[in-house]
Amino acid sequence: MSQITRRDLIKIFGASAVATSGLLGASKEAYAKSSAHIVIVGGGIGGASFAKYMRLANADVKITMIEPHPQYTFCPGSNEILSGHETLENLTVNYNTLKSRFNVDVIQDVATEINYEGHQVNTLHNGKISYDKLVVSPGPDFDFHFVDGYSAELAEGDFPHAWKAGPQTAKLKQQIDSMPQGGVLLISSPRMPYRCPPAPYERASFVANMLKETNPTAKILILDSKDNYVFQNHFEHYWKQNHQFGQEGSRIEWIPAKKGGVVTKLDATNKIVTTTSGEQIKADVINIIPEEKAGRFAIENGLALGSNWVPYEPKTFASKVHPDVYVIGDMVDAPMPKTGYVASNQAKVVAAAINDLLAGREPGTPFITNNCVAMAAEDYGMTITATFRYTGGIKDKGFSTQVRTSAITDNPYTNRIRAEVAKNWQRTFRKDMFS
Amino acid sequence: MNKIALLGALTLGATLSLSATASEHGHAAAKVEPWTLQHWDETAAAMPKGDAMRGSELHKNSMCMTCHGENGVAPSRNAPSLAGNTPEFIYKTLLDYRSGLRNEGDGKSSVMIAATQPMSNQHMADLAAFYAQQVIPAPAAMASVDPQIDRLVRKGDASRMITPCASCHGAHGEGNEVTPALAGQTAHYFVRTMHAYKNGHRNNDINEGMSQFTHDLTDAEIDALAQYYASLNRKP
């Protein structure tokens, strides 16, 4: 782009085309400034991946990221904080490398409103920011209304969901560590879709492994709003071997939805939950993982078109609302699990598509992978490799899916290698975006 | 489902704090004895005869090819290519991962340490035979070599007590017995390895036979050497 001046374009295409039609999908303003301005809302995994890979694809565009927080704490790996194998500090990164190495202008601010026709996004403190292309990646918001009596305030207080790594994770750890001998941790696992589907069970596993040493008579009760879950065979395999799962005295009990696992009410004062079957259950620590929906910024700006999740054009992840606005990450209504890995790969698709469009090329067809690694323990890992191939059709939201899951094995070496691969993934995944 | 009624029994500040297992993620000092030349000579003499066919099966079925590539040519810049390297080098490297002597810390060696635990010496020799048989593709040669780098490779630098790289790794970076081949190696991996030697995170070399030469190399020299070897053809 940088070599082509406005005058060159006028020479090639004629003044009227440049002046009126927003040629190549960019605004008139873009040509005046000689390079497109790409603005990102949200500096999580999706936004950070996009910023870096957009820069790798194009040295000339101006990239601005609007993110309210000075740091980002990774959710992948945060269950291991509960068992003392990981720390919040180790999972927390800043935006220095994106700024210095990848020349991204990171504005610490809150984006409030999109003016679609004016190509502007409004912020709380920096006023209106003009864009040629806008990438929206705010992640999900939590939806507390499915459990009567639960709220964002309680989550910040004595009932942390810890589904966003940070102070709530530390609070939950402190609560679990302080449980009386023989105490009960209750985990309420939500319906699909939610961020990182295996994580409630991974959480139960890591905590159970710790309790086995520190509080061996304590129990974990998983009340599930589903009847089955990903990696169920792996987790049950591990729990049978290590926590007498399915037997009298099991350290972990799992109640599916059809057997009354859906939590409908929380009595915060007495630490009692009520399930669909009307049962009342008291526990020492109650960890309700709330249902989710697209982030408030996306909902309030109409990107979800009245639903809870954001529809998109499968080839480029352009929004249905305006072709210069792109949507990625957990908030997107894609036939893909809500994982950081998927968000980062959607981000790369959008970076490539925007780069192609700016150069006047037809974007390529996306092929998105999800390598999901989970652990039941530091020496027991499991993997899913899924691929999502763009079909050009409308069936299955535009993608054909193939999935391969690791097989159950009693070979301890294989289980350990898988766990090491999982840890390696976490470490290198963090580095991929933030260093 | 049994109702679980829990006594809100008083706990007298029984806050259990778990000490984080820092060694899992940090750099754990190797507890293994470093190599002596005599010990290595005995180990090399006792190395089983490798079977490349069996090695090929292991390479496929033990997840090796995931990072090191179908034919031992790494598909990513993070993992080394093993194709065409010397059997002694591969064998010793696997031994060192299994014993934990090679542990660069920060989780970087954890997958290899885990992967080598179930391996016998015979498995390692089989893998070594397989990789030695594979061919690393000839890279595109560099247009010109910085005379200072050329000098470092062929003459060394007596003022810094740096032996010429070529005297052990070969004039074409082809390696020699336990000294690895470098020609065609992933540049990023080369740089990482040199820094691991330089900052003391890698210490599985015999009598500091490699690390002593890295102490005085500059970052720019390491980068240039990486580019030099990445573009060197083993069989000119």
Side-chain angles (χ1 to χ4, degrees):
Chain A
M1 281 299 290
S2 65
Q3 286 89 0
I4 303 174
T5 63
R6 178 180 166 85
R7 188 179 303 161
D8 289 335
L9 279 171
I10 294 172
K11 251 190 293 187
I12 298 166
F13 296 106
S16 64
V18 176
T20 60
S21 68
L23 195 81
L24 314 186
S27 72
K28 288 176 281 183
E29 207 177 351
Y31 296 106
K33 288 185 292 193
S34 89
S35 64
H37 186 200
I38 301 166
V39 176
I40 308 158
V41 174
I45 288 172
S49 300
F50 173 80
K52 173 177 167 179
Y53 281 84
M54 188 69 236
R55 176 58 73 223
L56 291 179
N58 190 316
D60 300 324
V61 290
K62 184 173 187 293
I63 305 174
T64 301
M65 175 188 279
I66 305 167
E67 161 60 40
H69 303 101
Q71 292 181 314
Y72 179 71
T73 303
F74 274 84
C75 270
S78 65
N79 275 327
E80 292 175 75
I81 292 171
L82 301 175
S83 59
H85 290 97
E86 187 56 278
T87 62
L88 273 173
E89 293 72 35
N90 192 45
L91 296 182
T92 302
V93 290
N94 60 42
Y95 296 94
N96 292 349
T97 305
L98 278 181
K99 292 180 199 170
S100 61
R101 187 172 165 201
F102 297 105
N103 192 20
V104 175
D105 188 9
V106 182
I107 297 176
Q108 198 185 327
D109 202 344
V110 178
T112 53
E113 195 184 349
I114 306 171
N115 172 354
Y116 292 101
E117 288 317 308
H119 283 72
Q120 284 181 327
V121 61
N122 205 1
T123 61
L124 272 188
H125 306 293
N126 286 272
K128 295 182 170 64
I129 298 173
S130 295
Y131 63 82
D132 297 297
K133 302 281 185 188
L134 182 70
V135 177
V136 181
S137 182
D141 264 355
F142 297 104
D143 194 348
F144 294 90
H145 86 270
F146 289 94
V147 178
D148 189 23
Y150 194 34
S151 65
E153 291 71 31
L154 284 173
E156 293 296 330
D158 287 338
F159 296 85
H161 53 66
W163 219 243
K164 184 180 191 313
Q168 288 195 25
T169 316
K171 173 83 178 181
L172 181 60
K173 173 166 177 53
Q174 180 255 320
Q175 289 183 333
I176 293 168
D177 287 349
S178 312
M179 274 203 309
Q181 289 293 312
V184 167
L185 162 66
L186 186 155
I187 298 174
S188 164
S189 182
R191 291 180 307 170
M192 296 291 272
Y194 61 94
R195 159 178 282 186
C196 196
Y201 315 97
E202 194 182 63
R203 172 172 289 182
S205 247
F206 273 111
V207 173
N209 296 344
M210 178 183 79
L211 293 175
K212 191 174 182 177
E213 306 299 325
T214 62
N215 191 346
T217 52
K219 305 283 184 210
I220 299 171
L221 177 65
I222 307 170
L223 296 177
D224 212 324
S225 301
K226 306 178 286 300
D227 285 329
N228 48 60
Y229 58 89
V230 65
F231 291 133
Q232 186 165 354
N233 56 349
H234 271 297
F235 281 111
E236 292 188 351
H237 175 243
Y238 182 82
W239 295 343
K240 277 175 191 159
Q241 289 187 337
N242 294 277
H243 301 297
Q244 299 87 47
F245 183 73
Q247 297 175 39
E248 192 69 25
S250 171
R251 191 167 288 114
I252 298 176
E253 193 178 352
W254 176 70
I255 312 295
K258 63 186 172 198
K259 293 191 175 166
V262 183
V263 170
T264 56
K265 194 176 164 190
L266 168 67
D267 174 353
T269 313
N270 298 305
K271 288 192 180 174
I272 292 172
V273 301
T274 307
T275 68
T276 35
S277 52
E279 244 177 324
Q280 294 200 328
I281 303 168
K282 188 170 170 63
D284 296 271
V285 178
I286 295 176
N287 175 220
I288 299 173
I289 301 161
E291 309 239 340
E292 292 168 21
K293 59 183 177 185
R296 203 175 77 177
F297 178 83
I299 301 272
E300 287 180 353
N301 282 286
L303 287 168
L305 298 176
S307 93
N308 275 346
W309 302 101
V310 174
Y312 63 100
E313 301 291 344
K315 191 171 180 187
T316 60
F317 287 80
S319 142
K320 297 275 190 189
V321 177
H322 194 284
D324 287 332
V325 177
Y326 297 80
V327 290
I328 53 175
D330 285 354
M331 69 163 187
V332 174
D333 186 24
M336 304 165 198
K338 300 197 180 300
T339 69
Y341 199 95
V342 164
S344 77
N345 284 335
Q346 291 172 346
K348 292 169 193 175
V349 167
V350 174
I354 288 180
N355 195 47
D356 282 338
L357 289 167
L358 290 175
R361 290 187 297 261
E362 174 70 16
T365 53
F367 178 71
I368 290 174
T369 59
N370 181 43
N371 288 328
C372 173
V373 289
M375 287 187 279
E378 289 291 310
D379 58 1
Y380 188 109
M382 54 200 90
T383 60
I384 283 187
T385 303
T387 59
F388 307 93
R389 191 180 292 278
Y390 173 75
T391 59
I394 50 166
K395 190 166 166 273
D396 300 326
K397 295 168 186 165
F399 287 90
S400 80
T401 301
Q402 285 190 307
V403 181
R404 177 173 284 202
T405 308
S406 53
I408 300 288
T409 173
D410 284 321
N411 181 338
Y413 297 110
T414 304
N415 289 323
R416 180 177 163 198
I417 291 169
R418 287 172 181 163
E420 295 300 341
V421 168
K423 285 180 256 184
N424 214 36
W425 175 83
Q426 287 177 10
R427 182 176 60 81
T428 53
F429 186 62
R430 292 195 290 270
K431 279 184 78 174
D432 182 33
M433 278 154 274
F434 286 90
S435 55
Chain B
M1 183 172 90
N2 294 325
K3 275 211 177 84
I4 299 176
L6 272 169
L7 304 168
L10 283 174
T11 53
L12 298 172
T15 306
L16 299 160
S17 66
L18 276 175
S19 62
T21 51
S23 61
E24 294 271 356
H25 294 288
H27 180 250
K31 296 174 199 76
V32 192
E33 283 296 303
W35 286 103
T36 61
L37 194 55
Q38 186 192 351
H39 183 213
W40 167 247
D41 284 343
E42 289 162 7
T43 304
M47 178 176 161
K49 185 173 162 48
D51 179 326
M53 284 298 287
R54 285 199 307 254
S56 167
E57 290 301 307
L58 272 172
H59 171 69
K60 260 186 253 169
N61 299 328
S62 307
M63 296 166 80
C64 314
M65 65 186 272
T66 314
C67 299
H68 296 290
E70 192 181 352
N71 300 305
V73 180
S76 113
R77 63 178 201 160
N78 286 317
S81 290
L82 303 176
N85 225 314
T86 65
E88 293 87 349
F89 166 71
I90 302 281
Y91 183 69
K92 176 177 172 297
T93 302
L94 291 169
L95 287 173
D96 290 350
Y97 275 126
R98 188 178 64 187
S99 72
L101 183 63
R102 182 162 175 189
N103 181 354
E104 284 139 66
D106 196 26
K108 287 191 175 71
S109 305
S110 59
V111 172
M112 280 308 301
I113 290 171
T116 47
Q117 295 310 306
M119 289 186 193
S120 67
N121 291 17
Q122 182 65 55
H123 291 141
M124 295 180 178
D126 292 344
L127 280 166
F130 167 73
Y131 292 123
Q133 272 189 6
Q134 307 309 303
V135 179
I136 199 152
M142 283 171 103
S144 65
V145 178
D146 181 337
Q148 285 184 330
I149 294 304
D150 188 56
R151 187 174 171 80
L152 208 50
V153 169
R154 299 193 304 122
K155 305 271 187 192
D157 183 349
S159 72
R160 290 184 286 173
M161 301 282 279
I162 295 175
T163 304
C165 314
S167 64
C168 297
H169 292 281
H172 306 294
E174 71 274 25
N176 180 27
E177 297 185 344
V178 76
T179 310
L182 302 177
Q185 189 52 277
T186 322
H188 186 77
Y189 172 77
F190 182 103
V191 170
R192 204 175 85 200
T193 301
M194 295 292 271
H195 284 292
Y197 275 125
K198 191 175 169 178
N199 62 25
H201 286 176
R202 181 159 167 190
N203 37 35
N204 66 322
D205 46 343
I206 303 162
N207 293 338
E208 293 187 40
M210 184 60 220
S211 58
Q212 59 180 311
F213 304 123
T214 61
H215 296 154
D216 294 325
L217 284 175
T218 66
D219 290 358
E221 284 172 330
I222 289 173
D223 289 347
L225 284 167
Q227 296 304 326
Y228 171 81
Y229 277 112
S231 58
L232 194 62
N233 192 341
R234 276 176 213 179
K235 287 173 189 161

